[in-house]
CSV table of all heavy atoms in Angstrom, one decimal:
chain,number,residue,atom,x,y,z
L,809,ASP,N,3.5,-2.7,-23.4
L,809,ASP,CA,2.2,-2.9,-24.0
L,809,ASP,C,2.2,-4.0,-25.0
L,809,ASP,O,3.2,-4.6,-25.3
L,809,ASP,CB,1.6,-1.6,-24.6
L,809,ASP,CG,2.5,-1.1,-25.7
L,809,ASP,OD1,3.5,-1.7,-26.1
L,809,ASP,OD2,2.2,0.0,-26.2
L,810,ALA,N,1.0,-4.3,-25.5
L,810,ALA,CA,0.8,-5.4,-26.5
L,810,ALA,C,1.5,-5.0,-27.8
L,810,ALA,O,2.0,-6.0,-28.5
L,810,ALA,CB,-0.7,-5.6,-26.8
L,811,SER,N,1.7,-3.8,-28.2
L,811,SER,CA,2.3,-3.4,-29.4
L,811,SER,C,3.8,-3.8,-29.4
L,811,SER,O,4.3,-4.3,-30.5
L,811,SER,CB,2.3,-1.8,-29.6
L,811,SER,OG,1.0,-1.4,-29.7
L,812,SER,N,4.4,-3.7,-28.3
L,812,SER,CA,5.8,-4.2,-28.2
L,812,SER,C,6.0,-5.7,-28.3
L,812,SER,O,6.9,-6.2,-29.0
L,812,SER,CB,6.4,-3.7,-26.8
L,812,SER,OG,6.3,-2.3,-26.7
L,813,VAL,N,5.1,-6.4,-27.7
L,813,VAL,CA,5.1,-7.9,-27.8
L,813,VAL,C,4.8,-8.3,-29.2
L,813,VAL,O,5.5,-9.2,-29.8
L,813,VAL,CB,4.0,-8.5,-26.9
L,813,VAL,CG1,4.0,-10.0,-27.0
L,813,VAL,CG2,4.2,-8.2,-25.4
L,814,ALA,N,3.9,-7.6,-29.9
L,814,ALA,CA,3.6,-7.9,-31.3
L,814,ALA,C,4.8,-7.6,-32.2
L,814,ALA,O,5.1,-8.4,-33.1
L,814,ALA,CB,2.4,-7.1,-31.8
L,815,ALA,N,5.6,-6.6,-31.9
L,815,ALA,CA,6.8,-6.2,-32.6
L,815,ALA,C,7.8,-7.3,-32.5
L,815,ALA,O,8.5,-7.7,-33.4
L,815,ALA,CB,7.3,-4.9,-32.2
L,816,LEU,N,8.0,-7.8,-31.2
L,816,LEU,CA,9.0,-8.9,-31.0
L,816,LEU,C,8.5,-10.2,-31.7
L,816,LEU,O,9.4,-10.9,-32.3
L,816,LEU,CB,9.1,-9.1,-29.5
L,816,LEU,CG,9.8,-8.0,-28.7
L,816,LEU,CD1,9.7,-8.3,-27.2
L,816,LEU,CD2,11.3,-7.9,-29.1
L,817,ASP,N,7.2,-10.5,-31.7
L,817,ASP,CA,6.7,-11.6,-32.4
L,817,ASP,C,7.0,-11.5,-33.9
L,817,ASP,O,7.4,-12.5,-34.6
L,817,ASP,CB,5.2,-11.8,-32.2
L,817,ASP,CG,4.9,-12.4,-30.9
L,817,ASP,OD1,5.8,-12.7,-30.1
L,817,ASP,OD2,3.7,-12.4,-30.6
L,818,ALA,N,6.8,-10.3,-34.5
L,818,ALA,CA,7.1,-10.0,-35.9
L,818,ALA,C,8.6,-10.2,-36.2
L,818,ALA,O,8.9,-10.8,-37.3
L,818,ALA,CB,6.6,-8.6,-36.3
L,819,ILE,N,9.4,-9.8,-35.3
L,819,ILE,CA,10.9,-10.0,-35.5
L,819,ILE,C,11.2,-11.5,-35.6
L,819,ILE,O,11.9,-12.0,-36.5
L,819,ILE,CB,11.7,-9.3,-34.4
L,819,ILE,CG1,11.5,-7.8,-34.6
L,819,ILE,CG2,13.2,-9.7,-34.5
L,819,ILE,CD1,12.0,-7.0,-33.3
L,820,GLU,N,10.7,-12.2,-34.6
L,820,GLU,CA,10.9,-13.7,-34.6
L,820,GLU,C,10.4,-14.4,-35.8
L,820,GLU,O,11.1,-15.3,-36.4
L,820,GLU,CB,10.3,-14.3,-33.3
L,820,GLU,CG,10.9,-13.9,-32.0
L,820,GLU,CD,10.4,-14.7,-30.8
L,820,GLU,OE1,10.8,-15.9,-30.7
L,820,GLU,OE2,9.5,-14.1,-30.1
L,821,THR,N,9.3,-13.9,-36.3
L,821,THR,CA,8.6,-14.5,-37.5
L,821,THR,C,9.5,-14.3,-38.7
L,821,THR,O,9.7,-15.2,-39.6
L,821,THR,CB,7.2,-14.0,-37.7
L,821,THR,OG1,6.4,-14.2,-36.6
L,821,THR,CG2,6.6,-14.6,-39.0
L,822,LYS,N,10.0,-13.1,-38.9
L,822,LYS,CA,10.9,-12.7,-40.0
L,822,LYS,C,12.2,-13.5,-40.0
L,822,LYS,O,12.6,-14.0,-41.1
L,822,LYS,CB,11.2,-11.2,-40.0
L,822,LYS,CG,10.0,-10.3,-40.4
L,822,LYS,CD,10.4,-8.8,-40.3
L,822,LYS,CE,9.3,-7.9,-40.7
L,822,LYS,NZ,8.9,-8.0,-42.2
L,823,TYR,N,12.7,-13.8,-38.9
L,823,TYR,CA,13.9,-14.6,-38.8
L,823,TYR,C,13.6,-16.0,-39.1
L,823,TYR,O,14.3,-16.8,-39.8
L,823,TYR,CB,14.6,-14.5,-37.4
L,823,TYR,CG,15.5,-13.3,-37.3
L,823,TYR,CD1,15.2,-12.2,-36.4
L,823,TYR,CD2,16.7,-13.1,-38.1
L,823,TYR,CE1,16.1,-11.1,-36.2
L,823,TYR,CE2,17.5,-12.0,-38.0
L,823,TYR,CZ,17.2,-11.1,-37.0
L,823,TYR,OH,18.1,-10.0,-36.9
L,824,ALA,N,12.5,-16.5,-38.5
L,824,ALA,CA,12.0,-17.9,-38.7
L,824,ALA,C,11.8,-18.2,-40.2
L,824,ALA,O,12.1,-19.3,-40.7
L,824,ALA,CB,10.8,-18.2,-37.9
L,825,GLN,N,11.3,-17.2,-41.0
L,825,GLN,CA,11.1,-17.4,-42.4
L,825,GLN,C,12.4,-17.6,-43.1
L,825,GLN,O,12.4,-18.2,-44.3
L,825,GLN,CB,10.3,-16.2,-43.0
L,825,GLN,CG,8.9,-16.1,-42.5
L,825,GLN,CD,8.2,-14.8,-42.9
L,825,GLN,OE1,8.9,-13.8,-43.3
L,825,GLN,NE2,6.9,-14.7,-42.8
L,826,ARG,N,13.5,-17.2,-42.5
L,826,ARG,CA,14.8,-17.4,-43.2
L,826,ARG,C,15.6,-18.5,-42.5
L,826,ARG,O,16.8,-18.7,-42.7
L,826,ARG,CB,15.6,-16.1,-43.1
L,826,ARG,CG,15.0,-15.0,-43.9
L,826,ARG,CD,15.6,-13.6,-43.6
L,826,ARG,NE,15.2,-12.6,-44.6
L,826,ARG,CZ,14.0,-12.0,-44.5
L,826,ARG,NH1,13.1,-12.3,-43.6
L,826,ARG,NH2,13.7,-11.1,-45.4
L,827,GLY,N,14.9,-19.3,-41.7
L,827,GLY,CA,15.5,-20.4,-41.0
L,827,GLY,C,16.4,-20.1,-39.9
L,827,GLY,O,17.4,-20.8,-39.6
L,828,LYS,N,16.2,-19.0,-39.3
L,828,LYS,CA,17.1,-18.5,-38.2
L,828,LYS,C,16.3,-18.5,-36.9
L,828,LYS,O,15.1,-18.3,-36.8
L,828,LYS,CB,17.7,-17.1,-38.5
L,828,LYS,CG,18.4,-17.1,-39.8
L,828,LYS,CD,18.9,-15.7,-40.2
L,828,LYS,CE,19.6,-15.7,-41.6
L,828,LYS,NZ,20.0,-14.4,-42.0
L,829,SER,N,17.1,-18.8,-35.8
L,829,SER,CA,16.4,-18.9,-34.5
L,829,SER,C,16.7,-17.6,-33.7
L,829,SER,O,17.8,-17.0,-33.8
L,829,SER,CB,16.9,-20.1,-33.7
L,829,SER,OG,18.3,-20.0,-33.4
L,830,VAL,N,15.7,-17.2,-32.8
L,830,VAL,CA,15.8,-16.0,-32.0
L,830,VAL,C,15.7,-16.4,-30.6
L,830,VAL,O,14.8,-17.2,-30.2
L,830,VAL,CB,14.8,-15.0,-32.4
L,830,VAL,CG1,14.8,-13.8,-31.5
L,830,VAL,CG2,15.0,-14.5,-33.9
L,831,GLU,N,16.6,-15.9,-29.7
L,831,GLU,CA,16.5,-16.1,-28.3
L,831,GLU,C,16.3,-14.7,-27.6
L,831,GLU,O,17.2,-13.8,-27.8
L,831,GLU,CB,17.7,-16.8,-27.7
L,831,GLU,CG,17.6,-17.1,-26.2
L,831,GLU,CD,18.8,-17.7,-25.6
L,831,GLU,OE1,19.8,-17.9,-26.4
L,831,GLU,OE2,18.9,-18.0,-24.4
L,832,ILE,N,15.3,-14.5,-26.8
L,832,ILE,CA,15.1,-13.3,-26.1
L,832,ILE,C,15.5,-13.5,-24.7
L,832,ILE,O,15.0,-14.4,-24.0
L,832,ILE,CB,13.6,-12.8,-26.2
L,832,ILE,CG1,13.2,-12.5,-27.6
L,832,ILE,CG2,13.4,-11.6,-25.3
L,832,ILE,CD1,11.7,-12.2,-27.8
Side-chain angles (χ1 to χ4, degrees):
D809 60 6
S811 297
S812 304
V813 177
L816 291 171
D817 282 356
I819 292 165
E820 289 188 80
T821 302
K822 286 179 178 291
Y823 276 117
Q825 288 169 349
R826 292 168 172 80
K828 300 174 183 180
S829 65
V830 175
E831 183 186 2
I832 295 175

